[in-house]
Amino acid sequence: MAKILYEVKQNKNQFNTGYGKWYAKVKALETLNTRKLANHISEHGSIYTPDVVYGVLEKFRSCLVEMLLESKKVKIEGLGTFYTTLENQKSGANKKEDYNPNKHMKALHIRFLPEQTTEENISSREFIKQAEFVNVDSLLKAEDENGSGSDSNDHNDVPPVINP
């Protein structure tokens, strides 16, 4: 089973309803760039070299953006659907005919909806069932007890949870 590392952090945002409470936050070990992902994919018994996989991933990225900018959704079977949403200024227009995109639109967002069919369900509720959770502090404590020389401050570079 896959292991998701997490830290427990205190919410220090005094304007948040969860202020002072403790919440888990995923502790990522690494961010894979396109080149590293291509290498990883090619190592999984692929007949394609890392360069070929990299080229396909780069083409996917550029085509995805192109299709989204043409008001199209992009569904990748077994993964999910990419689509766009608009964020409007809070003030809005008083009348339909007064709406001006340059004045009233705030942002265009790329969104992702995970696949939710029964055989490929990676929605949040199903995805959590596939993971085992490991508290980073327990790993650091084990390293300290084994004399690995890990500095207990190594994991303090993650910002506190603000909105659980």
Side-chain angles (χ1 to χ4, degrees), residues 8-157:
V8 179
K9 294 285 194 171
Q10 188 174 30
N11 181 337
K12 296 185 180 185
N13 181 349
Q14 61 185 342
F15 302 107
N16 186 278
T17 57
Y19 176 70
K21 296 193 176 167
W22 295 81
Y23 299 94
K25 179 174 175 41
V26 170
K27 176 68 174 172
L29 296 176
E30 176 182 11
T31 299
L32 295 180
N33 63 21
T34 309
R35 182 69 64 192
K36 287 181 180 179
L37 180 59
N39 287 336
H40 178 81
I41 291 170
S42 70
E43 291 169 357
H44 277 270
S46 174
I47 61 170
Y48 302 106
T49 64
D51 288 340
V52 171
V53 176
Y54 178 81
V56 171
L57 290 172
E58 278 298 304
K59 186 55 76 175
F60 169 76
R61 181 200 52 79
S62 66
C63 290
L64 173 66
V65 170
E66 178 186 355
M67 294 295 100
L68 293 173
L69 288 172
E70 291 182 6
S71 288
K72 296 178 181 176
K73 293 180 180 182
V74 177
K75 181 175 182 172
I76 308 298
E77 284 81 10
L79 185 62
T81 303
F82 294 89
Y83 62 100
T84 56
T85 60
L86 291 172
E87 181 180 354
N88 290 282
Q89 298 290 351
K90 290 183 180 178
S91 59
N94 291 327
K95 295 188 251 171
K96 184 176 183 177
E97 54 272 7
D98 291 342
Y99 188 87
N100 179 334
N102 294 327
K103 180 180 175 184
H104 296 103
M105 280 187 197
K106 185 175 181 181
L108 175 63
H109 299 284
I110 297 175
R111 304 290 190 203
F112 176 74
L113 178 65
E115 183 72 52
Q116 296 183 23
T117 60
T118 52
E119 61 274 351
E120 300 290 343
N121 192 335
I122 58 170
S123 65
S124 299
R125 287 191 177 119
E126 293 300 317
F127 198 48
I128 195 170
K129 295 175 186 175
Q130 298 176 30
E132 177 183 337
F133 296 91
V134 178
N135 188 323
V136 171
D137 290 340
S138 67
L139 294 176
L140 294 172
K141 187 181 237 184
E143 283 182 13
D144 287 343
E145 289 172 0
N146 292 333
S148 300
S150 175
D151 183 2
S152 63
N153 292 327
D154 286 349
H155 63 285
N156 288 336
D157 60 339

